[in-house]
Structure formats: structure tokens, C-alpha cells
Amino acid sequence: MQIRITRVFLALPRAQKRLVALAADIAICLVTVAIAYFLRLNSWIFPQGWQWLSYAAAIVIAIPLFITFGLYRAIFRYAGWGALMAVVRACAVFGIAYMLVFAVIGVPNVPRTIGLIQPVLLFLGVGASRAMARYWLGEGFTALFHVGPHRRVLIYGAGSAGRQLAAALANSDEMHVLGFVDDDPTLNGSVLNGLKIYPSNNVSHLIETLFVDDILLALPSASRRRRTEIVTAIRSTRATIRTLPGLIDLAQGKVTVNDLRELDIEDLLGRDPVEPDKLLLGRNITDKTVLVTGAGGSIGGELCRQILILRPKTLLLLEKSEYSLYAIHQELEIFLADHDVEEYQPRIIPLLASVQDERRSREIFRAWKPDTIYHAAAYKHVPLVEHNPSEGIRNNVFGTFAIARIAQEAGVTNFVLISTDKAVRPSNVMGTTKRLAELVLQAIAAENPATVFSMVRFGNVLGSSGSVVPLFRKQIKAGGPVTITHKDVTRYFMSIPEAAQLVIQAGAMAQGGEVFVLDMGDPVRIADLAQQMIELSGLSVKDAENPDGDIEIHVVGLRPGEKLYEELLIGNAPETTAHPRILKANEEMRPLAQITQDLADFEAAISNNDQQAIRNLLTSVVPDFTPQSDLVDWVYLEQNGLSEAE
């Protein structure tokens, strides 16, 4: 019955709710006058003569004041400190007026003490009515009677962000805050805004005993290492972990429930960023014409975002996928519109083109004369390139050769190739084509010092197309199983923004022909990554030790060309640079004449669709290439009546 009445009242129009509140205050005025007479005379009386004036005056003075002070504009179930102060001010003014009439001036047959007692009673009555309305219509009552899907939450962090978050959740219909958890031992057992602060040394036990549904990480300044430690302690529980943005996003000092998001694997795999060198970032970009090939891809798109922040004169987006080009162009245009600065209006030019199309590339270079090129266009999906090796060579090798020669002819100042750790002792065609692309640039750089060519090699980026992270996320959402190729596979990971910033800085340090290697940190075991992602989703791994778990992890076997471990260096003597996360590799190279002949041999083999000759050339030009599978080119298999299994 009470729940039904609550819902009916909440459904009333705002005007009707105000009338109910007005009627309640009128009743409180009359009742408090009657109680004042009882306290003064020690008996209940029926008003006579002038005594009616004390009742009428209470209503005539109080109600206009309450309206003036906005007591009926507040939403009672969300009433807080501001609403309480409005009640205090209104009742204070009422008390002065009422006392002036009945205690100072005096009215026949009305005891003067009525003018003192009634205002106090009125303040208590109105204040109590607001408190009861807030409890009845707000979270206290609904939590007691399970009205709405309340989730029991703990806030990890009793600092400024945690306090703001608790205040934002005070009126939430979805979450009920049980208290804080904090690493500071001096705060243990303290009470903050009515919520207890618990120690962090046994947070998993606390989650179980308090039946916590969610842990909210309010630690915007905490390092990723500390976040990882906290998550490791919580992961085995059924609590869902949510987090707030970083300090930059909280610069305005406002935290809302909308800022909360589920903790993602990117929050744990990434590292604490090193402050970028602003001189290096802007050296090849600010006030220059910059061209990005493969602009619609994961790395190319992030490069475009970072470049735009550095204020180029013109940004050329070169992409052969129509949709990808449209998407990145729209995103960058919106970015410019949101950051409108009159003196900074760079041109963003979307160009449909393939790096293999020399005629189209020359037209573009003649029209805009770019100063700097970031060459991110490449086929990078290992199994797809393994099954389509000719196209991988055409795009990754011949495309690089073409765009590099045209850049050199056009007098481009800087040319940066985006490479990969799979180019090191490659076991697949994709990695071998990227090593070939490096050799092409090294050879051109040695013959043509006018254009500064450099290569930047790094591992997997989180969330990129083809990455395991979005695949695992999709599989978990579908209920599993999560598929991994081998239980011992390890990979290097880096966030896309960090990779793009380091690429720009490495390119700015180049003198010509360098192969830069980004410090990727420690490699990650993919099986552990899958387990972390499952547990971060509030689920458990189903295996022999936990047959009642939620999601299984299936091992499906290594794919063609895939190896267990990736490397970043061929040699063992990398050189340090001015940046702590950028190294310089010392790699062997081939002269330009030899590279040109190699490419001619590849062209002939591709024209004849001679896959065996292509394979032999790959192993000859890149001696470190150790194929992990037989020929699996789809066309070759079909023409020879073979299947992949054979």
C-alpha cells in the first residue's frame, strides 16, 4: 500500500505536488499554534475571540514567506543542504514577524509566550516534514522496500573525486553507497559525510560481507600499476569494477554519475604515459602540410587526431576505403568545430587514393607539396595476408616503394613509415612484407639524403581493427567461448594515443634511415588477457577447477604464419635516444640497386602467380623469414585442387 501511494504521488503533476505541500504547511501552522497553547496552558483549548488571530496570523505570515523563499520550488526527494537553509531563512523571518505581533506588541487573551514557542515549533515541523518527504520519496524508502534496482556500491578512494561521486550518488535511484575504501591507514574507521571509510588491505572480504555489487574507482591520479594491483585484489569477486576518468577530464572539479564507466582492459594494459616533448611533437607538423596514408585505419586515424592538435597548415587524408575516409574526415571536422579558434583554421582534405596508384599520388603531391608524410597504409591482418600474399606484397612493399620515390622526387622533408614487431625474424608473409618495406626505405634513404626517411616499429595497439581485445569483448558479450590460438602466446601492447605520439616524436628525431623501436614494456600472455577480460566483466572462467563458471576459454591452434612470441629488435645492441621510450635499432640493409632488382623479380613472380617463386624470393631477400606453414594462398590452393588442411 505504501509503495503504491508513493508511486501515485510521484506520478502527480508538479502543480498538484506543490498544492499538497502547501496544504501540509497550512496544517503544520495550525497544529503548531495548538501545541504552543498546550505547552503554555498545560491543556488543550478551543480558541476563543482574539485567539483565532494567532491561528490566522500563522498562515497569513508563513505561506507568503515560504513561497518567496522558494520552499515549493525544491524537489523534496532531492532536497539537500540548500533546501534546508531556505527553510531556516523563511522560518527565521516568520519568527521575527510572529514574535513582534504576539510577544512584543501583544494581543488580548493570547499569552505572549505563544509568540516565542510557536515559531520554534513551526521550524521543527516544517523541517521534519521535508526530511520525511525526502526519505519517503527518495532513496531511503525505496531501498527499504526494494523500489527500483538499487545496486550496493563501495567507492574506492575517499579523496576529492570520491566525495564528489558520493554526493552525486546520494540521490541515485540505481546505486546505494555503503561507504568508502581508502589506502590511507589514518582514515580507517573514520566517517565521511555519514559513510564509513574501510581499510583496503582486505577489500575482497569486505565485498563478500557487505554484498557489494559494484566497486567504483575514484582514483583519477592513481598510476596504472596501482589500478592493476587494486583490480587484481577485486577480480576474483563478483563485483563489477567501474572507474572515473583521469585528472584532465576532472579538471573542472565536477564528478557526475555519467562519468562512471566500466573498467576496461585498456586501463590495465597501458602504461603511465611519459610527458611528450612538445618541441619534438610540433617540429615536423606545426604550420606544415602533412599527409597521412591509411588515414582511416586505427593508427592512421589516431595520427590524424594528434596531428590536428599540433596545428598543421593542411592535413591530407589519403585512404582507399571510402567509408573509412568519410568517417575520419567527419570526426576531424567535428573536432575543429568544437575547438573553433579564428587564427587556427587548417584545411582537412579527404583524398580517395591507393598508395599503389603512382599517377594519382603524383597529382596529389604536385597539388599540395606535402612537407611531412606518415605512411600508415598497409595490410596488417596476418592470416588474411598469408592467404593473399601477392596483394600483401603489392600494397605493403610496392606501395611503400612508390610513395617513397614520389615523396623523394617531390622534395618531401620527412617520411615516416609505420612498421611492426612482426617484421623482426618474421614467421609470416605480413611481417616479411613490412621488413621488406623497411629495407626499401633504408635503401632509398642511403641514396637520397634530401628526404629524411625513418621507420618506427612497435607491437599491437589496444582496440585496433584486428586486435584480440575487441574480439574477446564481442565473444564475452555473446556468452563465450573466448578463443585463443595457444595458451603460451604472448604479445606486446600499447595504447593507440601513446603509439601515435611516440611515432611523431621518433620521426622528429630522425636524421635519415633510422629504424626506431618503441619501448612496449613487458609482453602480455594472451590467455591471461582473456581471463582478465572475463573477470572484469563480472564473470568467471569455466574450467576444470571451476565447472560452474560462466565463460569457457577454448584453444583453437595457431593460425597460418602466427608465432608464439613477437620481438622488437633483430640485433642485440639497440641505441638509446633522447626519449626514454624510443630506441634505435641497428639493422642490416641492402643497396638500392639490389632492392630494385628484388622488386622486379617479385613483380615477375606475381604476374605469373608463381607462389613458390614468391615464397623463395621472400626467404632470399629476408633471410630471417622462417615460414611457419606451407603455401596457403587461396588461388594457388584452388588451382592445384588442394585444401588448406592438405
Side-chain angles (χ1 to χ4, degrees):
M1 177 61 72
Q2 288 175 298
I3 298 175
R4 188 177 303 141
I5 294 172
T6 302
R7 288 174 174 165
V8 169
F9 183 81
L10 291 176
L12 290 175
R14 187 71 185 276
Q16 293 184 24
K17 292 177 183 176
R18 288 176 174 174
L19 287 175
V20 171
L22 187 68
D25 285 345
I26 291 173
I28 292 171
C29 288
L30 298 175
V31 169
T32 52
V33 175
I35 295 174
Y37 276 108
F38 173 79
L39 294 176
R40 171 64 180 81
L41 303 175
N42 201 28
S43 65
W44 296 104
I45 67 165
F46 188 80
Q48 303 290 333
W50 287 100
Q51 292 176 346
W52 283 108
L53 182 61
S54 60
Y55 285 87
I59 298 172
V60 171
I61 298 173
I63 299 305
L65 284 173
F66 289 177
I67 294 173
T68 302
F69 280 89
L71 267 63
Y72 304 114
R73 291 197 299 269
I75 301 175
F76 291 165
R77 56 179 159 154
Y78 298 147
W81 182 253
L84 176 60
M85 292 307 299
V87 171
V88 171
R89 289 191 293 269
C91 289
V93 175
F94 169 84
I96 293 172
Y98 200 81
M99 283 188 288
L100 182 64
V101 174
F102 294 99
V104 178
I105 299 174
V107 174
N109 205 27
V110 177
R112 292 180 182 272
T113 50
I114 296 297
L116 300 174
I117 298 173
Q118 194 275 342
V120 175
L121 295 176
L122 181 68
F123 169 70
L124 294 176
V126 173
S129 70
R130 267 53 179 179
M132 290 177 61
R134 188 183 190 281
Y135 178 81
W136 175 44
L137 302 174
E139 75 280 354
F141 179 82
T142 53
L144 184 63
F145 291 96
H146 305 288
V147 179
H150 263 70
R151 294 182 66 83
R152 299 167 64 84
V153 304
L154 278 174
I155 297 175
Y156 203 118
S160 174
R163 293 194 299 271
Q164 291 180 56
L165 180 57
L169 290 172
N171 302 311
S172 172
D173 292 330
E174 299 178 0
M175 296 183 178
H176 176 60
V177 181
L178 303 173
F180 296 94
V181 175
D182 201 274
D183 297 330
D184 187 349
T186 63
L187 297 178
N188 294 345
S190 302
V191 176
L192 178 62
N193 294 338
L195 299 172
K196 185 176 179 180
I197 302 176
Y198 297 94
S200 61
N201 53 7
N202 198 6
V203 66
S204 58
H205 176 70
L206 188 64
I207 290 170
E208 299 299 330
T209 54
L210 294 179
F211 303 101
V212 175
D213 297 306
D214 297 277
I215 289 285
L216 311 181
L217 296 184
L219 303 168
S221 61
S223 67
R224 281 193 171 93
R225 182 180 295 276
R226 180 57 190 145
R227 284 173 177 248
T228 302
E229 291 172 352
I230 294 170
V231 171
T232 301
I234 299 172
R235 228 173 54 199
S236 59
T237 70
R238 287 293 183 135
T240 300
I241 306 171
R242 302 177 190 273
T243 188
L244 285 171
L247 280 176
I248 295 176
D249 298 310
L250 299 178
Q252 294 182 344
K254 296 179 180 179
V255 177
T256 69
V257 179
N258 293 333
D259 293 322
L260 287 169
R261 59 180 176 82
E262 289 191 13
L263 190 74
D264 213 338
I265 195 67
E266 283 90 338
D267 294 299
L268 304 180
L269 288 184
R271 299 165 301 167
D272 295 319
V274 171
E275 187 68 25
D277 186 326
K278 293 180 181 177
L279 290 176
L280 288 177
L281 284 175
R283 180 176 296 169
N284 294 337
I285 293 173
T286 303
D287 296 325
K288 297 180 183 295
T289 297
V290 182
L291 184 147
V292 178
T293 71
S298 305
I299 290 295
E302 184 59 30
L303 279 169
C304 291
R305 297 180 195 100
Q306 300 282 349
I307 289 167
L308 204 58
I309 294 171
L310 297 170
R311 302 192 168 196
K313 181 175 67 176
T314 304
L315 176 57
L316 306 174
L317 315 176
L318 195 148
E319 172 62 57
K320 72 176 185 177
S321 166
E322 180 187 25
Y323 175 75
S324 298
L325 181 62
Y326 169 79
I328 187 63
H329 181 234
Q330 291 298 306
E331 179 186 336
L332 297 178
E333 289 286 356
I334 291 171
F335 175 87
L336 275 187
D338 291 342
H339 299 76
D340 185 24
V341 181
E342 291 185 4
E343 65 271 18
Y344 169 54
Q345 286 297 330
R347 298 175 66 199
I348 303 176
I349 312 295
L351 298 164
L352 275 173
S354 168
V355 292
Q356 300 177 57
D357 188 341
E358 295 189 34
R359 181 194 60 79
R360 172 70 166 158
S361 295
R362 282 193 170 88
E363 289 176 350
I364 291 169
F365 278 63
R366 280 196 298 266
W368 282 281
K369 298 178 177 59
D371 301 293
T372 303
I373 296 176
Y374 294 96
H375 179 42
Y379 292 145
K380 64 179 183 178
H381 195 274
V382 170
L384 281 179
V385 176
E386 201 73 17
H387 286 297
N388 301 273
S390 297
E391 291 306 306
I393 295 169
R394 281 197 180 100
N395 195 60
N396 295 1
V397 183
F398 285 98
T400 298
F401 186 57
I403 204 78
R405 282 192 299 110
I406 296 169
Q408 183 265 324
E409 293 168 5
V412 172
T413 306
N414 291 89
F415 186 109
V416 182
L417 168 70
I418 310 302
S419 192
T420 172
D421 58 354
K422 294 175 177 61
V424 182
R425 282 185 267 271
S427 63
N428 52 67
V429 175
M430 194 282 285
T432 309
T433 62
K434 294 300 286 184
R435 178 57 188 146
L436 272 169
E438 292 179 355
L439 290 169
V440 164
L441 280 199
Q442 287 176 299
I444 295 177
E447 298 283 336
N448 302 281
T451 298
V452 177
F453 291 95
S454 60
M455 295 130 272
V456 183
R457 188 187 288 166
F458 54 92
N460 300 277
V461 288
L462 293 166
S464 69
S465 59
S467 167
V468 296
V469 171
L471 173 62
F472 287 173
R473 192 178 290 124
K474 182 179 179 181
Q475 290 174 335
I476 292 169
K477 188 175 181 180
V482 172
T483 57
I484 62 174
T485 57
H486 193 284
K487 62 183 180 64
D488 294 324
V489 166
T490 62
R491 293 290 182 266
Y492 291 96
F493 286 96
M494 178 180 284
S495 72
I496 295 179
E498 182 185 16
Q501 280 193 354
L502 290 176
V503 164
I504 293 171
Q505 292 174 87
M509 291 191 292
Q511 300 297 314
E514 295 95 338
V515 177
F516 293 105
V517 179
L518 303 187
D519 175 11
M520 301 289 294
D522 298 323
V524 176
R525 191 166 168 263
I526 299 300
D528 295 337
L529 172 65
Q531 181 173 342
Q532 281 184 319
M533 291 188 65
I534 291 170
E535 292 175 346
L536 282 176
S537 301
L539 304 171
S540 62
V541 176
K542 183 178 181 180
D543 53 21
E545 296 180 1
N546 184 24
D548 297 323
D550 303 300
I551 304 286
E552 289 185 277
I553 298 177
H554 286 179
V555 178
V556 297
L558 292 172
R559 299 170 296 181
E562 190 174 28
K563 60 181 179 180
L564 291 178
Y565 312 104
E566 301 292 3
E567 304 168 84
L568 288 167
L569 295 168
I570 293 177
N572 295 318
E575 297 179 21
T576 59
T577 68
H579 197 289
R581 295 243 169 110
I582 302 174
L583 302 174
K584 188 165 64 173
N586 293 304
E587 309 286 25
E588 294 183 2
M589 57 174 291
R590 294 167 76 87
L592 182 59
Q594 183 61 60
I595 283 290
T596 304
Q597 182 58 52
D598 293 334
L599 295 183
D601 294 339
F602 273 112
E603 181 64 40
I606 291 172
S607 298
N608 295 324
N609 193 28
D610 189 342
Q611 294 301 316
Q612 190 59 58
I614 293 172
R615 172 65 65 88
N616 293 339
L617 281 169
L618 288 173
T619 55
S620 172
V621 179
V622 185
D624 289 321
F625 174 38
T626 52
Q628 299 296 303
S629 64
D630 295 330
L631 293 173
V632 292
D633 174 76
W634 291 122
V635 177
Y636 171 83
L637 294 176
E638 188 68 21
Q639 288 177 340
N640 290 274
L642 302 172
S643 65
E644 187 182 352
E646 297 173 333

